[in-house]
Amino acid sequence: GNSSGHKFSEETLLKMSAVRGYSVDIYEKCDSEGFKLIGSFVSIRRAAKFLEISANTVKLYINSGEIFKNRYKFIGTW
């Protein structure tokens, strides 16, 4: 029979959602080499949680391409 209690590991789930959907990269402004990648997230919500701001704010900055607080750049990719 089919086991209905099949569980995916956290890592597998992350890989799956990364393949399927949307990811948000956060870059931080560094003096010398411009921007440095400080985090990649599988959702806008996780990116927002990382900086403790609202998901809406992240969405706005992804769409506008503006730099948040003159420091963070959000890049969203499908």
Side-chain angles (χ1 to χ4, degrees), residues 10 14 17 26 41-51 55:
E10 180 77 7
L14 282 177
S17 60
I26 300 179
F41 302 89
V42 294
S43 69
I44 286 175
R45 207 181 314 133
R46 288 200 187 184
K49 199 174 177 185
F50 176 74
L51 288 181

Side-chain angles (χ1 to χ4, degrees), residues 25-75:
D25 293 335
I26 300 179
Y27 292 83
E28 186 173 4
K29 196 174 197 175
C30 303
D31 293 335
S32 51
E33 4 49 294
F35 287 87
K36 183 179 75 183
L37 180 67
I38 58 167
S40 294
F41 302 89
V42 294
S43 69
I44 286 175
R45 207 181 314 133
R46 288 200 187 184
K49 199 174 177 185
F50 176 74
L51 288 181
E52 297 180 334
I53 57 178
S54 80
N56 244 13
T57 303
V58 174
K59 213 177 287 183
L60 280 172
Y61 280 87
I62 288 172
N63 291 335
S64 71
E66 283 176 40
I67 294 158
F68 180 63
K69 290 189 171 171
N70 284 322
R71 187 172 170 193
Y72 299 106
K73 191 156 72 174
F74 301 105
I75 311 278

